[in-house]
Amino acid sequence: MFLINRRMNFQKFEKRTDLAIEVRESFPKDNIEIEGVVLEEESYRQGNVLMSTVEIKDQKGALQMKKPVGRYVTLEFKKDVLEKAHQQNELQQYAGYICRIIQKMLQEAEKKQNMKCKTVLVSGLGNRFATPDALGPYVIEHIVMNRHVTDGYGRVSSQDCVALCGISPGVMAQTGMETGEILHGLVEKIKPDALLVIDSLASRSVNRLCRTVQITNTGISPGAGIGNNRKKVNQETMGIPVIAVGVPTVVDAGTIIYESLENALEKEGYTEYEIESFFQSITNKEVHNLFVTPKDIDEEIRMIGKMIAFGIQKLAE
């Protein structure tokens, strides 16, 4: 009876991730279709770039995916592809994919809101002094803002380009203010047509660290991937369309341990319950609060950060 009760209270370890594609992959492989969720996949450059689109169409899909209704586009780059492009000054070519995805989301927002997107506020979230969390501020440093020029001297390039302005609001420990509060005040003051936020994310796969870019029109919850939930930054809280660009830079240590154990014990014929019980017996709270990042994270941030900055810069050209 004791064993039965333990089974009734059994809760599978939840692998932390901010990526919609990983949530979709977590469903049983024989569950090809999930009600309210559509998955599309395409590949480019001889398979070196994989683009996956997870569209959550209604509340049923949102409930199953535990994510807001909207579109989540993921670009995955094969190992060493970005490194070679960085060495050969070809990051601009890959940045074009990011620009086109953002442009499409902005166009959809224009139709939905019946407006023309002329000004975009770009916000680099995160802590500039903590390398795994420095992606957002780094991207902001490498974008040439032009709102002050277009406002003062008129539009000087294509009518399809947008005026960019940007800020790195820091983190609450530095400012004493919620990121959402700072951005809401800026939105009310300068009245941009859309908000574009860049942030570091958490993944459940080591292979996706700094090799994956997720772009979504649902906004973002800063710190959610590491269990540090702050005020949401989305259209509901900001009052304007919000597009979020994120890159996974950390993996929960517990997730790494669990997946290694799961793969090894499944081959030995152990059940899901037995694997979970064993995992719970050998881990503690310290493991669940530990996150792992690549040893060359500083170089990885510079590489993928420049690519994202190039992609956003193209919006103003």
Side-chain angles (χ1 to χ4, degrees), residues 121 178-189 195 231 233 236-239:
L121 171 60
E178 286 267 11
T179 298
E181 293 174 336
I182 298 174
L183 294 179
H184 188 268
L186 284 171
V187 168
E188 287 192 332
K189 180 64 177 179
L195 173 62
K231 182 179 179 180
V233 178
E236 183 179 353
T237 59
M238 296 294 114

Side-chain angles (χ1 to χ4, degrees), residues 272-291:
E272 180 183 10
Y273 172 74
E274 291 170 332
I275 295 172
E276 179 66 25
S277 297
F278 180 59
F279 174 74
Q280 296 293 350
S281 70
I282 65 171
T283 59
N284 51 41
K285 292 182 179 180
E286 284 72 19
V287 170
H288 291 282
N289 291 324
L290 179 65
F291 291 85

Side-chain angles (χ1 to χ4, degrees), residues 217-279:
N217 58 4
T218 64
I220 197 169
S221 297
I226 59 172
N228 185 24
N229 292 288
R230 314 307 320 173
K231 182 179 179 180
K232 293 182 179 180
V233 178
N234 55 28
Q235 184 160 355
E236 183 179 353
T237 59
M238 296 294 114
I240 58 174
V242 178
I243 297 173
V245 180
V247 174
T249 59
V250 296
V251 177
D252 181 10
T255 298
I256 297 175
I257 297 172
Y258 186 90
E259 290 205 330
S260 298
L261 284 173
E262 188 177 37
N263 292 333
L265 296 179
E266 276 183 351
K267 292 179 180 178
E268 297 297 324
Y270 287 88
T271 66
E272 180 183 10
Y273 172 74
E274 291 170 332
I275 295 172
E276 179 66 25
S277 297
F278 180 59
F279 174 74

